[in-house]
């Protein structure tokens, strides 16, 4: 049976405060743990929206998933 090796990363994802929505809460972003010689071609962000509220219109020039 072939041996498998676990994926190697440069560390954990650490989120930091980026900005606040007028309503709905803070937005955090993080750099992904890719080596500096081959950085990730995308960014990650997360946010929370409290019940019965909404966030500001969120529009970007790039594609989101």
């Amino acid at each position: 049976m072939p041996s498998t090796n676990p994926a190697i990363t440069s560390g954990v994802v650490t989120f930091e405060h980026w900005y606040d929505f007028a309503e709905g809460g803070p937005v955090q972003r993080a750099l992904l743990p890719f080596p500096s010689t081959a950085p990730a071609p995308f960014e990650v962000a997360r946010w929370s929206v409290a019940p019965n509220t909404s966030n500001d219109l969120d529009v970007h020039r790039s594609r989101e998933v």
Side-chain angles (χ1 to χ4, degrees):
M1 180 182 296
S3 171
T4 58
N5 296 323
I8 298 172
T9 67
S10 61
V12 299
V13 175
T14 303
F15 285 87
E16 63 182 28
H17 182 264
W18 192 9
Y19 65 93
D20 293 302
F21 280 120
E23 292 186 40
V27 177
Q28 299 173 322
R29 68 177 173 178
L31 297 176
L32 297 175
F34 282 73
S36 60
T37 55
F42 49 87
E43 298 176 336
V44 295
R46 67 181 182 187
W47 63 93
S48 298
V49 179
N52 300 315
T53 65
S54 61
N55 60 304
D56 302 335
L57 179 61
D58 189 35
V59 179
H60 303 272
R61 291 181 290 179
S62 59
R63 183 177 175 202
E64 286 190 61
V65 290

